[in-house]
Amino acid sequence: MPRMRLSLRFLLPISVLFALLATLMMPLVDAWNLRWSIRDLDNQSQLITETLKEPLVELIVKEDYAKVQAMLNSAIKEKRLYALAYCDEAGKMRRWTQTFPTELGCAPSNGENGVVRINSDDSRGGPVHLSIQPLKDEGQVFGYLVFVHDMGYLEHRSSETRGYVIAAFTILAVLVMMITLLVAHLSWHNWMAGIRAVLRGENPIRAMEQADPEVRPIIRDLNQMLSDASRRSTLRDDATTQWGPETLRQLLHDHLYGDEILVVSNREPYVHVHTDQGIQVQRPASGLVTAVEPVMRACSGTWIAQGSGSADKESADAKGRLRVPPDRPSYTLRRIWLSEEEERGYYYGFANEGIWPLCHIAHVRPNFRGADWEQYVKVNQRFADAVVEETNTHDPVILVQDYHFALLPRMIRELLPRATILTFWHIPWPNPESFGICPWRNEILEGLLGSTILGFHTPYHRKNFIETVDRFLETRIEHENSTISYRGKLTMVQDYPISIHWPGATADGADMVAEPRQRIRQQLGLDDEDKLLLGVDRLDYTKGIIERFEAVERLLEKRPEWVGRLCLLQIAAPSRSLLDEYQGFESRVRATAARINERFGDARIPPILLRIEQHSHGAVVEHYRACDICMVTSLHDGMNLVAKEFVAAREDEAGVLILSQFAGAAGELREALVINPYDREETAAALHSALSMAPAEQRERMRSLRALVRDFNIYRWAGRMLVDAAVARRQARIQERIFYQSASPSRRKR
Ligand code: F6P
């Protein structure tokens, strides 16, 4: 097809040019034809005169005009000689052939050779050529001969010559076209050979040298894109790469050339609060913060988040900025202050009473209020303005986090069209039917499609999103590349399973675990033989906390041998407690724990120990080490990082993970005991298996889980997204360059 187009581009003008030339040539051809014919006729007349001169002069001298007449008659037998006359030196016509047009007489109008038109009786009327030849012998003139040549054949000769000219031009045109095609073919071949050489992975420098100059920029871009793609797939799929902060820093240096990085999330990584001991810094119970904070330490840049601590304002400067982490500052935290009305509408209202239950299948009805939506739009716009305020460049890399900011990508895109926007949706994405009940579904989808890259934890959530877009918006979706094109803007939709910072090897893993295990067990009043089950969550109805308690109850019912020999320690960080749903949930959790403990009130240790309070990260890690079984029983969860943190903390390669099939982590952590939290029998049975599991099996499972979490850690998660971002940035630059090169000069100036 391109060859065809190329040929047409050359061949059409060539054909038109040759047709034009042939048309212009026709009058010239006629003129040349006439000139050559006249010269021909004059030569012929001269020749005849020379031949006849001697006998004719003899007859003239003898005045034998009868023989002169006969001689003239026989001379015109030559087919183009129409008539001949003999005139004496005085210009009197003495003898002439019968065909001679007597009106011409001996002296044609100008007395010279030339073409005249005659009217003849026979069919030869039309142009004739007169050729006047003197009869000279030895210097003496004996009169002259007037030759009349028929020029009727000229038209025939002219049309014949035209035919030849057209044929010649046609042959020439065909030859030129064939040569052009050959040259085009050879060039195309060279282009293709150059491009193929690159695609075959031959030495790029040699491929460049051998390629035609005009194809070199394409080869350069192609090389760049291919090496990007191969680097990307190497980085993505090479499980042997050990990802850590340094790998990520190197990646930023190599791929993003130190480009500016900004993170936007609702929850801030460090909260300053007033306590009796003065201002203290706390780390919030947030999977998002756990995941993104180590990345920010590695990348530097700026993190924009809501300032929510009681001492946040006095810990930051007038613009809400401060350097964090407090012990080793490596990036800037910019706090945004929200009014009570804004926080109630945007955070508690639309985000947590609308989108949160909408996206989690936990049987809590979403609540959509127009007033909340207004605050959600307003706060998203405030964060978009803050991004513009904080950025020093026109094309920063912006990492937008979570369902609090569904509108932000489009808003940023409008303010910073050249920014690379990576949005990560930390919670599940439901199917189109479920999502379709949101009154502002289109606005949310349009907002998210402002992203360059949109990430989900699992392929299933990604698929749900694409199907939702397909259902509600007019877009072009390319399933092979997982891209959505909406209003001329392309968004890549991918799954990037989030993870945690891998703490790294310690000298002796078993020692790391033994000390906190002993201490915490002592604190809880447990003997060495007692089994400690652990749950660590935000106090949220999606986490399956009540189902977890009931599974323990069911186990004790079915297997009374465990009564008084185990307890479940539930650490629950208070969350969104302003909302009725959460207050009601807390009451139900407390009531369930109390009921079960009462039921097994005779037991030496209560089955449930409930701690509804904030624990520091360090304290949580110690509990992971102290327990025998970690229970993650979410009814629906994007990923669930508690599961991964538990695995990372178990340097002793002991302990069992019970994991809900409805948590994204279940797709990766296959060696966990995977359960359906709605099925109490199944969970109770899994608990029994875990409690009775031999140390060897625990070790085997834990080793495999640890290898996975170590290799697929948070740096790999961030690295994969940033490599994709770097490729998207380069592609955008190449497209810009191609557009710039192909744009007309006037357009370029704009
Ligand atoms: O699970 C979604 C999520 O945004 C997490 O990323 C985070 O851990 C949690 O919710 C935070 O909730 P909140 O900020 O409302 O306490």
Side-chain angles (χ1 to χ4, degrees), residues 34-35 37-47 49 84 104 106-117 128-135 144-149 151:
L34 183 68
R35 266 189 32 211
S37 300
I38 286 172
R39 204 168 55 201
D40 205 22
L41 294 175
D42 285 338
N43 287 343
Q44 194 186 355
S45 307
Q46 225 172 3
L47 204 70
T49 309
L84 183 60
L104 293 175
C106 278
S109 55
N110 54 7
E112 284 176 8
N113 298 349
V115 177
V116 293
R117 289 196 80 83
V128 292
H129 174 67
L130 295 186
S131 179
I132 299 159
Q133 301 291 334
L135 275 173
Y144 47 91
L145 293 174
V146 180
F147 291 82
V148 179
H149 293 279
M151 297 200 67

Short mmCIF file of all heavy atoms in Angstrom, two decimals, residues 34-35 37-47 49 84 104 106-117 128-135 144-149 151:
data_model
loop_
_atom_site.label_atom_id
_atom_site.label_comp_id
_atom_site.label_asym_id
_atom_site.label_seq_id
_atom_site.Cartn_x
_atom_site.Cartn_y
_atom_site.Cartn_z
N LEU A 34 7.13 21.51 -42.26
CA LEU A 34 6.95 22.37 -43.43
C LEU A 34 8.30 22.82 -43.97
O LEU A 34 8.57 22.77 -45.17
CB LEU A 34 6.08 23.56 -43.03
CG LEU A 34 5.72 24.52 -44.15
CD1 LEU A 34 4.78 23.84 -45.15
CD2 LEU A 34 5.04 25.76 -43.60
N ARG A 35 9.16 23.23 -42.99
CA ARG A 35 10.48 23.73 -43.42
C ARG A 35 11.28 22.65 -44.11
O ARG A 35 11.87 22.86 -45.17
CB ARG A 35 11.24 24.25 -42.21
CG ARG A 35 11.00 25.73 -42.12
CD ARG A 35 11.79 26.53 -41.15
NE ARG A 35 13.11 26.13 -40.84
CZ ARG A 35 13.63 26.35 -39.62
NH1 ARG A 35 12.88 26.88 -38.70
NH2 ARG A 35 14.89 26.04 -39.38
N SER A 37 10.15 20.06 -45.64
CA SER A 37 9.52 19.70 -46.90
C SER A 37 9.88 20.70 -47.99
O SER A 37 10.21 20.34 -49.12
CB SER A 37 8.00 19.66 -46.75
OG SER A 37 7.67 18.73 -45.79
N ILE A 38 9.84 22.00 -47.62
CA ILE A 38 10.15 23.04 -48.61
C ILE A 38 11.60 22.92 -49.07
O ILE A 38 11.90 22.98 -50.27
CB ILE A 38 9.84 24.44 -48.02
CG1 ILE A 38 8.33 24.61 -47.97
CG2 ILE A 38 10.49 25.54 -48.83
CD1 ILE A 38 7.87 25.84 -47.24
N ARG A 39 12.47 22.72 -48.10
CA ARG A 39 13.87 22.57 -48.47
C ARG A 39 14.06 21.37 -49.39
O ARG A 39 14.78 21.42 -50.40
CB ARG A 39 14.72 22.38 -47.21
CG ARG A 39 16.15 22.80 -47.46
CD ARG A 39 16.92 22.91 -46.19
NE ARG A 39 16.83 21.68 -45.44
CZ ARG A 39 17.07 21.61 -44.13
NH1 ARG A 39 17.38 22.72 -43.48
NH2 ARG A 39 16.99 20.48 -43.49
N ASP A 40 13.33 20.37 -49.09
CA ASP A 40 13.35 19.13 -49.87
C ASP A 40 12.90 19.41 -51.31
O ASP A 40 13.53 18.99 -52.29
CB ASP A 40 12.36 18.19 -49.17
CG ASP A 40 12.68 16.76 -49.42
OD1 ASP A 40 13.84 16.51 -49.75
OD2 ASP A 40 11.77 15.91 -49.29
N LEU A 41 11.79 20.16 -51.41
CA LEU A 41 11.22 20.45 -52.73
C LEU A 41 12.15 21.35 -53.54
O LEU A 41 12.32 21.17 -54.75
CB LEU A 41 9.84 21.09 -52.58
CG LEU A 41 8.76 20.17 -51.97
CD1 LEU A 41 7.46 20.93 -51.75
CD2 LEU A 41 8.53 18.94 -52.83
N ASP A 42 12.74 22.34 -52.85
CA ASP A 42 13.67 23.24 -53.55
C ASP A 42 14.87 22.46 -54.08
O ASP A 42 15.31 22.67 -55.21
CB ASP A 42 14.14 24.36 -52.62
CG ASP A 42 13.06 25.40 -52.40
OD1 ASP A 42 12.14 25.49 -53.25
OD2 ASP A 42 13.08 26.10 -51.36
N ASN A 43 15.37 21.55 -53.24
CA ASN A 43 16.50 20.72 -53.68
C ASN A 43 16.12 19.87 -54.88
O ASN A 43 16.88 19.73 -55.85
CB ASN A 43 16.96 19.78 -52.57
CG ASN A 43 17.70 20.54 -51.49
OD1 ASN A 43 18.13 21.68 -51.73
ND2 ASN A 43 17.80 19.95 -50.31
N GLN A 44 14.91 19.35 -54.80
CA GLN A 44 14.42 18.49 -55.89
C GLN A 44 14.33 19.32 -57.19
O GLN A 44 14.75 18.88 -58.26
CB GLN A 44 13.04 17.96 -55.49
CG GLN A 44 12.57 16.83 -56.34
CD GLN A 44 11.12 16.47 -55.97
OE1 GLN A 44 10.56 17.02 -55.03
NE2 GLN A 44 10.55 15.57 -56.72
N SER A 45 13.79 20.57 -57.06
CA SER A 45 13.66 21.44 -58.23
C SER A 45 15.02 21.76 -58.82
O SER A 45 15.22 21.75 -60.04
CB SER A 45 12.96 22.75 -57.84
OG SER A 45 11.77 22.47 -57.19
N GLN A 46 15.96 22.02 -57.92
CA GLN A 46 17.32 22.35 -58.35
C GLN A 46 17.92 21.17 -59.14
O GLN A 46 18.53 21.35 -60.19
CB GLN A 46 18.17 22.60 -57.11
CG GLN A 46 19.02 23.82 -57.25
CD GLN A 46 19.71 24.12 -55.91
OE1 GLN A 46 19.56 23.39 -54.93
NE2 GLN A 46 20.42 25.20 -55.89
N LEU A 47 17.69 20.00 -58.60
CA LEU A 47 18.23 18.77 -59.21
C LEU A 47 17.65 18.56 -60.60
O LEU A 47 18.36 18.27 -61.57
CB LEU A 47 17.89 17.58 -58.30
CG LEU A 47 18.77 16.38 -58.42
CD1 LEU A 47 20.15 16.72 -57.83
CD2 LEU A 47 18.16 15.22 -57.62
N THR A 49 16.32 20.86 -62.48
CA THR A 49 16.83 21.93 -63.34
C THR A 49 18.22 21.56 -63.87
O THR A 49 18.51 21.71 -65.06
CB THR A 49 16.88 23.26 -62.56
OG1 THR A 49 15.61 23.46 -61.97
CG2 THR A 49 17.23 24.42 -63.46
N LEU A 84 4.81 22.46 -64.29
CA LEU A 84 6.11 23.08 -64.58
C LEU A 84 5.92 24.03 -65.78
O LEU A 84 5.17 23.75 -66.71
CB LEU A 84 7.12 21.96 -64.92
CG LEU A 84 8.56 22.32 -65.19
CD1 LEU A 84 9.21 23.01 -64.01
CD2 LEU A 84 9.36 21.05 -65.54
N LEU A 104 -0.84 32.06 -61.96
CA LEU A 104 0.40 32.36 -61.27
C LEU A 104 1.37 33.10 -62.20
O LEU A 104 2.18 33.89 -61.73
CB LEU A 104 1.07 31.07 -60.78
CG LEU A 104 0.34 30.31 -59.67
CD1 LEU A 104 1.07 28.99 -59.39
CD2 LEU A 104 0.30 31.15 -58.40
N CYS A 106 4.52 33.97 -64.71
CA CYS A 106 5.95 33.71 -64.48
C CYS A 106 6.48 34.41 -63.24
O CYS A 106 7.55 34.08 -62.75
CB CYS A 106 6.76 34.23 -65.68
SG CYS A 106 6.76 33.04 -67.02
N ALA A 107 5.74 35.44 -62.81
CA ALA A 107 6.24 36.18 -61.63
C ALA A 107 5.28 36.06 -60.47
O ALA A 107 4.30 36.79 -60.39
CB ALA A 107 6.41 37.65 -62.00
N PRO A 108 5.53 35.09 -59.59
CA PRO A 108 4.66 35.00 -58.41
C PRO A 108 4.77 36.26 -57.57
O PRO A 108 5.71 37.02 -57.74
CB PRO A 108 5.21 33.78 -57.66
CG PRO A 108 6.55 33.53 -58.20
CD PRO A 108 6.66 34.17 -59.54
N SER A 109 3.81 36.46 -56.74
CA SER A 109 3.64 37.74 -56.05
C SER A 109 4.94 38.35 -55.53
O SER A 109 5.19 39.52 -55.71
CB SER A 109 2.66 37.56 -54.90
OG SER A 109 3.10 36.51 -54.07
N ASN A 110 5.79 37.56 -54.88
CA ASN A 110 7.03 38.15 -54.33
C ASN A 110 8.26 37.76 -55.14
O ASN A 110 9.37 38.10 -54.77
CB ASN A 110 7.20 37.76 -52.87
CG ASN A 110 7.15 36.25 -52.69
OD1 ASN A 110 7.12 35.52 -53.70
ND2 ASN A 110 7.16 35.80 -51.46
N GLY A 111 8.05 37.03 -56.24
CA GLY A 111 9.17 36.65 -57.09
C GLY A 111 10.11 35.65 -56.47
O GLY A 111 11.20 35.41 -56.94
N GLU A 112 9.72 35.06 -55.33
CA GLU A 112 10.59 34.11 -54.63
C GLU A 112 9.89 32.78 -54.45
O GLU A 112 8.68 32.67 -54.62
CB GLU A 112 10.92 34.65 -53.24
CG GLU A 112 11.93 35.77 -53.27
CD GLU A 112 12.15 36.34 -51.89
OE1 GLU A 112 11.62 35.76 -50.92
OE2 GLU A 112 12.85 37.36 -51.80
N ASN A 113 10.74 31.83 -54.05
CA ASN A 113 10.15 30.53 -53.70
C ASN A 113 9.18 30.71 -52.54
O ASN A 113 9.37 31.56 -51.68
CB ASN A 113 11.24 29.56 -53.26
CG ASN A 113 12.25 29.30 -54.37
OD1 ASN A 113 12.02 29.68 -55.53
ND2 ASN A 113 13.34 28.66 -54.01
N GLY A 114 8.15 29.90 -52.51
CA GLY A 114 7.23 30.00 -51.36
C GLY A 114 5.99 29.18 -51.57
O GLY A 114 5.79 28.54 -52.60
N VAL A 115 5.16 29.21 -50.53
CA VAL A 115 3.93 28.41 -50.57
C VAL A 115 2.77 29.35 -50.92
O VAL A 115 2.65 30.44 -50.36
CB VAL A 115 3.66 27.75 -49.20
CG1 VAL A 115 2.36 26.98 -49.21
CG2 VAL A 115 4.81 26.82 -48.85
N VAL A 116 1.96 28.95 -51.88
CA VAL A 116 0.76 29.73 -52.22
C VAL A 116 -0.42 28.77 -52.30
O VAL A 116 -0.25 27.55 -52.41
CB VAL A 116 0.91 30.49 -53.56
CG1 VAL A 116 1.94 31.57 -53.48
CG2 VAL A 116 1.20 29.51 -54.69
N ARG A 117 -1.59 29.35 -52.20
CA ARG A 117 -2.79 28.52 -52.35
C ARG A 117 -3.33 28.74 -53.76
O ARG A 117 -3.34 29.86 -54.26
CB ARG A 117 -3.86 28.91 -51.34
CG ARG A 117 -3.51 28.52 -49.92
CD ARG A 117 -4.74 28.58 -49.05
NE ARG A 117 -5.58 27.40 -49.21
CZ ARG A 117 -5.37 26.24 -48.57
NH1 ARG A 117 -4.35 26.13 -47.74
NH2 ARG A 117 -6.17 25.21 -48.78
N VAL A 128 0.25 24.89 -52.57
CA VAL A 128 1.30 24.35 -53.45
C VAL A 128 2.57 25.13 -53.16
O VAL A 128 2.51 26.24 -52.63
CB VAL A 128 0.95 24.47 -54.95
CG1 VAL A 128 -0.20 23.58 -55.33
CG2 VAL A 128 0.69 25.91 -55.34
N HIS A 129 3.70 24.55 -53.54
CA HIS A 129 4.96 25.26 -53.32
C HIS A 129 5.53 25.65 -54.68
O HIS A 129 5.61 24.84 -55.59
CB HIS A 129 5.95 24.34 -52.58
CG HIS A 129 7.30 24.95 -52.45
ND1 HIS A 129 7.56 26.06 -51.68
CD2 HIS A 129 8.51 24.61 -53.02
CE1 HIS A 129 8.83 26.38 -51.76
NE2 HIS A 129 9.44 25.49 -52.59
N LEU A 130 5.91 26.91 -54.79
CA LEU A 130 6.52 27.38 -56.04
C LEU A 130 8.02 27.44 -55.86
O LEU A 130 8.50 28.02 -54.89
CB LEU A 130 6.03 28.78 -56.37
CG LEU A 130 4.54 28.95 -56.68
CD1 LEU A 130 4.27 30.36 -57.12
CD2 LEU A 130 4.11 27.99 -57.76
N SER A 131 8.71 26.84 -56.79
CA SER A 131 10.17 26.91 -56.73
C SER A 131 10.65 27.45 -58.09
O SER A 131 10.35 26.86 -59.12
CB SER A 131 10.70 25.50 -56.46
OG SER A 131 12.07 25.53 -56.42
N ILE A 132 11.35 28.57 -58.06
CA ILE A 132 11.76 29.21 -59.33
C ILE A 132 13.27 29.01 -59.51
O ILE A 132 14.05 29.44 -58.66
CB ILE A 132 11.39 30.71 -59.28
CG1 ILE A 132 9.88 30.82 -59.13
CG2 ILE A 132 11.87 31.44 -60.52
CD1 ILE A 132 9.42 32.13 -58.58
N GLN A 133 13.63 28.30 -60.59
CA GLN A 133 15.04 27.94 -60.79
C GLN A 133 15.55 28.53 -62.11
O GLN A 133 14.98 28.27 -63.18
CB GLN A 133 15.19 26.40 -60.84
CG GLN A 133 14.71 25.68 -59.63
CD GLN A 133 15.60 25.95 -58.41
OE1 GLN A 133 16.79 26.25 -58.57
NE2 GLN A 133 15.01 25.89 -57.23
N PRO A 134 16.58 29.38 -62.07
CA PRO A 134 17.11 29.99 -63.30
C PRO A 134 17.81 28.93 -64.19
O PRO A 134 18.41 27.99 -63.68
CB PRO A 134 18.12 31.01 -62.77
CG PRO A 134 18.48 30.55 -61.43
CD PRO A 134 17.33 29.78 -60.89
N LEU A 135 17.68 29.13 -65.50
CA LEU A 135 18.38 28.24 -66.45
C LEU A 135 19.63 28.97 -66.91
O LEU A 135 19.57 29.89 -67.71
CB LEU A 135 17.47 27.96 -67.66
CG LEU A 135 16.46 26.83 -67.52
CD1 LEU A 135 15.54 26.82 -68.73
CD2 LEU A 135 17.17 25.49 -67.39
N TYR A 144 13.90 30.86 -66.99
CA TYR A 144 13.85 30.06 -65.74
C TYR A 144 12.64 29.13 -65.76
O TYR A 144 11.70 29.30 -66.53
CB TYR A 144 13.82 30.97 -64.51
CG TYR A 144 12.84 32.13 -64.57
CD1 TYR A 144 11.54 31.96 -64.06
CD2 TYR A 144 13.22 33.37 -65.12
CE1 TYR A 144 10.67 33.03 -64.12
CE2 TYR A 144 12.33 34.41 -65.17
CZ TYR A 144 11.04 34.26 -64.65
OH TYR A 144 10.17 35.29 -64.71
N LEU A 145 12.78 28.15 -64.89
CA LEU A 145 11.71 27.14 -64.77
C LEU A 145 10.91 27.44 -63.51
O LEU A 145 11.48 27.78 -62.46
CB LEU A 145 12.30 25.73 -64.65
CG LEU A 145 13.02 25.19 -65.89
CD1 LEU A 145 13.68 23.85 -65.56
CD2 LEU A 145 12.05 25.02 -67.05
N VAL A 146 9.59 27.36 -63.63
CA VAL A 146 8.74 27.55 -62.44
C VAL A 146 8.14 26.18 -62.08
O VAL A 146 7.37 25.61 -62.86
CB VAL A 146 7.62 28.58 -62.70
CG1 VAL A 146 6.75 28.75 -61.45
CG2 VAL A 146 8.20 29.90 -63.14
N PHE A 147 8.56 25.67 -60.94
CA PHE A 147 8.06 24.36 -60.48
C PHE A 147 6.88 24.57 -59.54
O PHE A 147 6.95 25.41 -58.63
CB PHE A 147 9.16 23.63 -59.67
CG PHE A 147 10.33 23.18 -60.51
CD1 PHE A 147 11.37 24.07 -60.85
CD2 PHE A 147 10.43 21.86 -60.93
CE1 PHE A 147 12.44 23.63 -61.59
CE2 PHE A 147 11.51 21.43 -61.68
CZ PHE A 147 12.53 22.31 -62.02
N VAL A 148 5.83 23.84 -59.73
CA VAL A 148 4.70 23.87 -58.78
C VAL A 148 4.62 22.48 -58.14
O VAL A 148 4.37 21.50 -58.81
CB VAL A 148 3.38 24.22 -59.49
CG1 VAL A 148 2.22 24.22 -58.48
CG2 VAL A 148 3.48 25.55 -60.20
N HIS A 149 4.91 22.48 -56.83
CA HIS A 149 4.88 21.19 -56.12
C HIS A 149 3.58 21.04 -55.35
O HIS A 149 3.15 21.97 -54.68
CB HIS A 149 6.04 21.10 -55.12
CG HIS A 149 7.39 21.06 -55.77
ND1 HIS A 149 7.92 19.91 -56.29
CD2 HIS A 149 8.31 22.04 -55.99
CE1 HIS A 149 9.10 20.17 -56.80
NE2 HIS A 149 9.36 21.47 -56.64
N MET A 151 1.52 20.15 -52.28
CA MET A 151 1.82 20.02 -50.85
C MET A 151 0.71 19.31 -50.06
O MET A 151 0.70 19.34 -48.82
CB MET A 151 2.09 21.40 -50.24
CG MET A 151 3.31 22.01 -50.88
SD MET A 151 4.06 23.31 -49.94
CE MET A 151 4.67 22.48 -48.54
#
